[in-house]
Amino acid sequence: LGYTRVFEAPIRIDFRFSSQIGASSVVRVALDTAAIFYRHYVLGSYRSDGRSVSALAVTGPVPSGSGNGRHGPERNGKLRILFLNWRDITNPEAGGAEVVTHEVAKRWVDWGHDVTLLTSRFADSADSEVLDGVRIRRLGNLRNGTFHLLVQRELARLRGFDVIIDEINTAPFLTPLWRRRLPPIVGFIHQLADDVLDAELPRPLAAVGRWLEPRALRLYRDIPVVTVSNSTKEDLDRIGLEHVSVIPDGLDEPPALNGVTKEERPTLL
């Protein structure tokens, strides 16, 4: 090879080799493996076809007068709004929160905005439909946790929206974790879940839920949050949320009672 001056310098290695694998190494390997599975099966990061856009991208026809579905700022003052909520108005278990969500959403459509609701499936539900101009897309199961997990996948691929309404009923969607790639976020909280947890879960699980809830909600501390009552605002202020506004629920006109026959006994309608 052309070397002309070669010296031999023996080295003595006085080191006792031993395994470097410990409990922390096992934990790190397990976490890395879980991350790979999450990226592959939830986020779809390793798809061979290269597709990584969300099924929630604004495409195709939109309600009359709304935006045109392109990515970027709103067009002519019309917004493309994404609602995240655990149920929709047609769900058999829908409650007051779903009524409020739908009434607000359909009015925004009437004003010319493009509104999409991402929600969970239920028995015999369609994967997607349009109701009162509001696009509804359903995925996952609320009971086994796949709905909230799949929402994270959609957030990782989201495009084409101008604002996200993160409606929190018990379990938050953790949108602040994605804030660097998401449009502006507004939290929408009807009430805290501590009373619900006490009523529906065994005492030990309810205690865990009460411990987790304020810590999860603190992710929203510097995000605008809307609630429907002063009492809930006080609860949110107490756990550290900084930008909470109160917008009371609306009220439909009561039905006309003219001509209703008087009951013999006191009756509550």
Side-chain angles (χ1 to χ4, degrees):
L1 296 178
Y3 293 100
T4 58
R5 302 178 63 188
V6 178
F7 300 91
E8 183 178 350
I11 299 174
R12 180 181 178 181
I13 300 177
D14 189 11
F15 182 79
R16 182 175 298 175
F17 291 94
S18 61
S19 173
Q20 301 299 307
I21 298 176
S24 60
S25 300
V26 174
V27 171
R28 287 196 297 270
V29 170
L31 290 176
D32 289 342
T33 303
I36 292 172
F37 273 85
Y38 175 75
R39 294 189 188 103
H40 179 64
Y41 292 106
V42 178
L43 299 184
S45 301
Y46 310 124
R47 293 177 63 102
S48 59
D49 57 12
R51 291 184 299 165
S52 62
V53 298
S54 172
L56 280 173
V58 179
T59 56
V62 295
S64 175
S66 63
N68 60 10
R70 291 176 293 173
H71 181 75
E74 66 273 14
R75 311 294 186 246
N76 300 320
K78 306 304 182 183
L79 294 171
R80 288 146 305 194
I81 304 166
L82 174 63
F83 255 110
L84 304 176
N85 193 27
W86 64 349
R87 299 184 181 111
D88 65 86
I89 191 68
T90 64
N91 192 307
E93 297 184 1
E98 287 67 54
V99 173
V100 171
T101 299
H102 187 72
E103 291 296 325
V104 170
K106 74 179 186 180
R107 283 166 173 77
W108 285 347
V109 169
D110 290 341
W111 295 349
H113 302 299
D114 176 26
V115 184
T116 299
L117 170 64
L118 181 61
T119 188
S120 63
R121 291 192 182 108
F122 54 90
D124 300 321
S125 64
D127 289 343
S128 63
E129 66 177 296
V130 177
L131 183 62
D132 295 328
V134 180
R135 290 196 191 92
I136 301 175
R137 180 169 177 245
R138 304 181 181 93
L139 73 168
N141 185 292
L142 189 61
R143 298 295 184 185
N144 63 19
T146 56
F147 169 59
H148 281 78
L149 187 62
L150 290 172
V151 167
Q152 300 307 306
R153 182 189 67 182
E154 297 302 316
L155 293 176
R157 303 171 171 184
L158 194 71
R159 68 178 179 87
F161 290 92
D162 300 306
V163 63
I164 296 176
I165 310 298
D166 182 345
E167 187 168 354
I168 301 170
N169 291 284
T170 307
F173 295 105
L174 307 178
T175 50
L177 296 178
W178 299 94
R179 71 172 70 190
R180 292 186 178 182
R181 67 170 318 280
L182 292 180
I185 301 164
V186 178
F188 184 20
I189 304 175
H190 295 270
Q191 73 281 319
L192 298 188
D194 47 0
D195 292 338
V196 177
L197 296 172
D198 289 335
E200 296 191 1
L201 294 178
R203 185 173 297 178
L205 291 179
V208 172
R210 288 197 304 273
W211 183 86
L212 286 174
E213 183 180 39
R215 288 159 177 80
L217 290 180
R218 286 190 191 113
L219 291 172
Y220 297 78
R221 59 184 175 273
D222 56 352
I223 284 177
V225 171
V226 172
T227 189
V228 298
S229 67
N230 288 318
S231 60
T232 301
K233 180 181 185 304
E234 293 171 0
D235 292 336
L236 297 174
D237 289 341
R238 187 168 56 254
I239 64 177
L241 274 65
E242 300 173 358
H243 307 290
V244 182
S245 302
V246 177
I247 301 179
D249 289 334
L251 180 66
D252 290 331
E253 289 292 331
L257 298 179
N258 296 332
V260 175
T261 304
K262 181 176 178 61
E263 300 286 338
E264 296 181 359
R265 302 176 64 180
T267 303
L268 178 64
L269 295 178

